[in-house]
Amino acid sequence: MGGGQPLRLLLIEDSEDDELLLLSELRSCGYEPSLTRVESLEEIERALNEGPWDAIISDYVLPGFNGLAALPLVKERGLDLPFLIVSGAVGEDTAVEAMKSGVHDFLFKDRLARLGPALARELREAEVRAERRRMQERLLLSDRLAALGLLAAGVAHEINNPLSSLMMNLDFTLNSARERSLQEDDVQALRNASECAQHIQEIIRDIKVFARPEAQPLGPTDLHRVLDSALRMAWNQVFPRAQLIKDYGEASTVHGSEARLAQIFLNLVINAAQALPEGSSHEHAIHVVTRRSLPDTVRVEIRDTGPGIPAELHERIFEPFFTTKPLGEGTGLGLFICRRLVTEMGGRIGVESQPGQGTRFWVHLRAAATPSPAQSASA
Ligand SMILES: Nc1ncnc2c1ncn2[C@@H]1O[C@H](COP(=O)(O)OP(=O)(O)OP(=O)(O)O)[C@@H](O)[C@H]1O
Ligand SMILES: [Mg+2]
């Protein structure tokens, strides 16, 4: 016993002898089944509700019903499990009819040698189907996120015009406060209103930075300004979990675009924040460091004091749809997109991390000298 592949098997079968036969066949094929045998529709329903199961094997002829009757019970619960029928002698038409109704395979009790391979194949295919469903769900989610981004950018754009007009009117009234002999507290109230309006304008600018990265041309971009935008956008996620420590080197212009860079940094900072438990801001820190490293390279580092990432995952986290977050929270596209965007800008991205030692993501970007008129003319 032991050492075999565990298999949670629901067996619909009224004969104990056949159960033993099946068990011994499965063991000889390398499975270690934990088997539950049921023989009435009520028992089947109860077992399905309790689950979970890896596979279902059913006899065909059972007292009062046939094996096919169990199939709808499985389907109506949204379960997609290998469902095999292992039957005594029945006509070929019966087998054909069973396959048509959605049974994955039909085997005969006197030819059980086919069971092991058939089960292995169906387990594999069920796994492939499950993986495809997970991908589709995540794709839908990422579509929704992209649509939401577009919507936000549109709303930001719409707010801009009335906001400009509001600010102009506030300025106008403030500038003529003396002629109108306004009271000091009226003036103060107007100043407050004006500051709030400026704040709204900054928020809108930040939202617009993220709109439609693919439409922005690559060119010299102010690194620290983009980083600040991304950090403001991430603030709600960061402040309940960590101290934010900015350590910027000399002012840098890099080859990129605001929207692409902002998207990269936002994902890295949110990943760092999400790796930390909420309410732990006094214990944890997120460092954002920038340094000119080589004459033509700027290094950005986003470091956290979270649980870290085991070495065997350092490449996989950059794969599309790899995520350890529950559905609805992560699509697993963040780092995949980061790497694509960084590469497009002629840069590189990587991770250094060990479990228990925190995580350090670094991004190397090409430094861009602001093109002088002479340079752009000769280019
Ligand atoms: N700072 C970090 N600390 C620990 N694990 C991390 C960190 N950053 C990324 N990871 C791991 O890498 C996985 C992939 O990250 P990625 O940004 O690609 O997707 P996600 O954050 O899960 O989802 P999405 O970014 O699409 O919302 C995460 O699920 C997490 O397991
Ligand atoms: Mg992410």
Coordinates of all heavy atoms in Angstrom, one line a residue, residues 145 267-268 271-275 304 306-309 313 316-319 322-325 329-336 353 358-359 361, ligand 1:
L145 N -11.4 44.7 -16.6 CA -10.5 45.7 -16.1 C -10.0 46.7 -17.1 O -10.0 47.9 -16.8 CB -9.2 45.0 -15.5 CG -9.5 44.2 -14.2 CD1 -8.2 43.6 -13.7 CD2 -10.1 45.0 -13.1
N267 N 1.7 48.3 -11.0 CA 1.5 46.9 -10.7 C 2.6 46.4 -9.7 O 2.3 45.6 -8.8 CB 1.7 46.0 -12.0 CG 1.4 44.6 -11.7 OD1 0.4 44.2 -11.1 ND2 2.4 43.7 -12.1
L268 N 3.8 46.9 -9.8 CA 4.9 46.4 -8.9 C 4.6 46.9 -7.4 O 4.7 46.1 -6.5 CB 6.2 46.9 -9.3 CG 6.7 46.4 -10.7 CD1 8.1 46.9 -11.0 CD2 6.8 44.8 -10.6
N271 N 1.5 44.9 -6.2 CA 1.9 43.5 -5.8 C 2.6 43.6 -4.5 O 2.4 42.7 -3.6 CB 2.9 43.0 -6.9 CG 2.2 42.5 -8.1 OD1 1.0 42.4 -8.1 ND2 3.0 42.1 -9.1
A272 N 3.5 44.5 -4.3 CA 4.2 44.6 -3.0 C 3.2 44.8 -1.8 O 3.3 44.1 -0.8 CB 5.2 45.8 -3.0
A273 N 2.3 45.7 -2.0 CA 1.3 46.0 -1.0 C 0.4 44.7 -0.7 O 0.2 44.3 0.4 CB 0.4 47.1 -1.4
Q274 N 0.0 44.0 -1.8 CA -0.8 42.9 -1.6 C -0.1 41.7 -1.0 O -0.8 40.8 -0.5 CB -1.5 42.5 -3.0 CG -2.5 43.5 -3.4 CD -3.2 43.1 -4.7 OE1 -2.7 42.3 -5.5 NE2 -4.3 43.7 -5.0
A275 N 1.2 41.8 -1.0 CA 2.0 40.7 -0.4 C 2.0 40.9 1.2 O 2.5 40.0 1.9 CB 3.4 40.6 -0.9
D304 N 9.9 45.1 -0.9 CA 9.0 45.0 0.2 C 9.5 44.0 1.2 O 10.5 43.3 1.0 CB 7.6 44.6 -0.3 CG 7.6 43.2 -0.9 OD1 7.8 42.2 -0.1 OD2 7.4 43.0 -2.1
G306 N 7.7 41.7 2.6 CA 6.7 40.6 2.7 C 7.3 39.2 2.7 O 8.5 39.0 3.0
P307 N 6.5 38.2 2.4 CA 6.9 36.8 2.6 C 7.9 36.3 1.6 O 8.5 35.2 1.8 CB 5.5 36.0 2.4 CG 4.7 37.0 1.5 CD 5.1 38.3 1.9
G308 N 8.1 37.0 0.5 CA 9.1 36.6 -0.5 C 8.5 35.6 -1.5 O 7.4 35.2 -1.3
I309 N 9.3 35.2 -2.5 CA 8.9 34.3 -3.5 C 9.9 33.2 -3.7 O 11.1 33.5 -3.9 CB 8.8 35.1 -4.9 CG1 7.8 36.3 -4.7 CG2 8.3 34.1 -6.0 CD1 7.9 37.2 -5.9
L313 N 9.7 29.8 -8.5 CA 8.7 30.6 -9.1 C 9.2 31.9 -9.8 O 8.4 32.6 -10.4 CB 7.6 31.0 -8.1 CG 6.8 29.8 -7.5 CD1 5.7 30.3 -6.5 CD2 6.1 29.0 -8.6
R316 N 8.2 31.8 -13.3 CA 6.8 31.5 -13.6 C 5.9 32.7 -13.3 O 4.9 32.9 -14.0 CB 6.3 30.3 -12.7 CG 6.8 29.0 -13.3 CD 6.0 27.9 -12.8 NE 4.6 28.0 -13.3 CZ 3.6 27.3 -12.7 NH1 3.7 26.6 -11.7 NH2 2.4 27.5 -13.2
I317 N 6.3 33.6 -12.3 CA 5.4 34.7 -12.0 C 5.3 35.7 -13.2 O 4.4 36.5 -13.3 CB 5.9 35.5 -10.8 CG1 7.4 35.9 -10.9 CG2 5.7 34.7 -9.5 CD1 7.9 36.8 -9.8
F318 N 6.2 35.6 -14.2 CA 6.1 36.5 -15.4 C 5.3 35.8 -16.5 O 5.0 36.4 -17.5 CB 7.5 36.8 -15.9 CG 8.3 37.7 -15.0 CD1 9.2 37.2 -14.1 CD2 8.1 39.1 -15.1 CE1 10.0 38.0 -13.3 CE2 8.8 39.9 -14.2 CZ 9.8 39.4 -13.3
E319 N 4.8 34.6 -16.2 CA 4.0 33.9 -17.2 C 2.5 34.5 -17.2 O 2.1 34.8 -16.1 CB 3.9 32.4 -17.0 CG 5.2 31.7 -17.4 CD 5.2 30.3 -16.9 OE1 4.1 29.7 -16.5 OE2 6.3 29.7 -17.0
F322 N -0.4 33.5 -14.4 CA 0.1 32.8 -13.2 C -0.2 33.8 -12.0 O 0.3 34.9 -12.0 CB 1.6 32.6 -13.2 CG 2.1 32.0 -11.9 CD1 2.0 30.7 -11.7 CD2 2.6 32.9 -10.9 CE1 2.4 30.1 -10.4 CE2 2.9 32.3 -9.6 CZ 2.8 31.0 -9.4
T323 N -1.0 33.3 -11.1 CA -1.3 34.1 -9.9 C -1.5 33.2 -8.7 O -1.9 32.1 -8.9 CB -2.6 35.0 -10.2 OG1 -2.8 35.8 -9.0 CG2 -3.8 34.1 -10.5
T324 N -1.2 33.7 -7.6 CA -1.6 33.0 -6.3 C -2.7 33.7 -5.6 O -3.1 33.3 -4.5 CB -0.3 33.0 -5.4 OG1 0.1 34.3 -5.2 CG2 0.8 32.1 -6.0
K325 N -3.3 34.7 -6.3 CA -4.4 35.4 -5.7 C -5.8 34.8 -6.1 O -5.9 34.2 -7.2 CB -4.4 36.9 -6.1 CG -3.1 37.5 -5.6 CD -2.9 38.9 -6.1 CE -1.4 39.3 -5.7 NZ -1.0 40.5 -6.4
E329 N -9.4 38.9 -7.6 CA -8.4 39.8 -7.1 C -7.2 39.9 -8.0 O -6.7 41.0 -8.1 CB -7.9 39.2 -5.7 CG -8.2 40.1 -4.6 CD -8.0 39.4 -3.3 OE1 -6.8 39.2 -3.0 OE2 -8.9 39.1 -2.5
G330 N -6.8 38.8 -8.6 CA -5.7 38.9 -9.5 C -6.0 38.2 -10.8 O -6.6 37.2 -10.8
T331 N -5.5 38.7 -11.9 CA -5.6 38.0 -13.2 C -4.3 37.3 -13.5 O -4.3 36.4 -14.4 CB -5.9 39.0 -14.3 OG1 -4.9 39.9 -14.5 CG2 -7.2 39.7 -14.1
G332 N -3.2 37.6 -12.8 CA -2.0 37.0 -13.2 C -1.4 37.6 -14.5 O -0.5 37.0 -15.0
L333 N -1.9 38.7 -14.9 CA -1.4 39.3 -16.1 C -0.4 40.5 -15.8 O 0.4 40.9 -16.7 CB -2.5 39.9 -17.0 CG -3.3 38.9 -17.7 CD1 -4.5 39.5 -18.3 CD2 -2.5 38.1 -18.7
G334 N -0.4 40.9 -14.5 CA 0.4 42.1 -14.2 C 1.9 42.0 -14.6 O 2.4 42.9 -15.4
L335 N 2.6 41.0 -14.1 CA 4.0 40.9 -14.4 C 4.3 40.6 -15.9 O 5.3 41.0 -16.4 CB 4.7 39.9 -13.5 CG 4.8 40.4 -12.0 CD1 5.3 39.2 -11.2 CD2 5.7 41.6 -11.9
F336 N 3.4 39.8 -16.4 CA 3.5 39.5 -17.9 C 3.5 40.8 -18.7 O 4.4 41.0 -19.5 CB 2.4 38.5 -18.3 CG 2.3 38.3 -19.7 CD1 3.3 37.6 -20.4 CD2 1.2 38.8 -20.5 CE1 3.2 37.3 -21.8 CE2 1.1 38.6 -21.8 CZ 2.1 37.9 -22.5
S353 N 14.5 37.4 -4.7 CA 13.7 37.2 -3.5 C 13.9 35.8 -2.9 O 14.3 34.9 -3.7 CB 12.2 37.3 -3.9 OG 11.4 37.0 -2.8
G358 N 11.7 39.0 2.1 CA 11.1 40.1 1.3 C 11.4 39.9 -0.2 O 12.0 38.9 -0.6
T359 N 11.0 40.9 -1.0 CA 11.1 40.7 -2.4 C 11.6 42.1 -3.0 O 11.2 43.1 -2.5 CB 9.7 40.4 -3.0 OG1 9.2 39.2 -2.5 CG2 9.7 40.3 -4.6
F361 N 11.9 43.8 -6.7 CA 11.8 43.8 -8.2 C 12.6 45.0 -8.7 O 12.6 46.1 -8.1 CB 10.3 44.1 -8.6 CG 9.5 42.8 -8.6 CD1 8.8 42.4 -7.5 CD2 9.5 42.0 -9.8 CE1 8.1 41.2 -7.5 CE2 8.8 40.8 -9.8 CZ 8.1 40.4 -8.6
Ligands
LIG1 N1 6.1 41.6 -4.1 C1 5.7 40.3 -4.2 N2 5.7 39.5 -3.1 C2 5.3 38.2 -3.1 N3 4.7 37.6 -4.2 C3 4.6 38.4 -5.3 C4 5.1 39.8 -5.4 N4 4.8 40.3 -6.6 C5 4.3 39.3 -7.3 N5 4.2 38.1 -6.6 C6 3.6 36.8 -7.0 O1 3.6 36.8 -8.4 C7 2.3 36.5 -8.9 C8 2.0 37.1 -10.2 O2 2.0 38.6 -10.1 P1 1.2 39.4 -11.3 O3 1.4 40.8 -11.0 O4 1.6 38.9 -12.6 O5 -0.3 38.9 -11.1 P2 -1.3 39.2 -9.9 O6 -0.8 40.3 -9.0 O7 -1.5 37.9 -9.2 O8 -2.6 39.6 -10.7 P3 -2.8 41.0 -11.4 O9 -1.5 41.8 -11.4 O10 -3.2 40.6 -12.8 O11 -3.9 41.7 -10.7 C9 1.4 37.0 -7.8 O12 0.1 36.3 -7.8 C10 2.2 36.6 -6.5 O13 2.1 35.3 -6.2

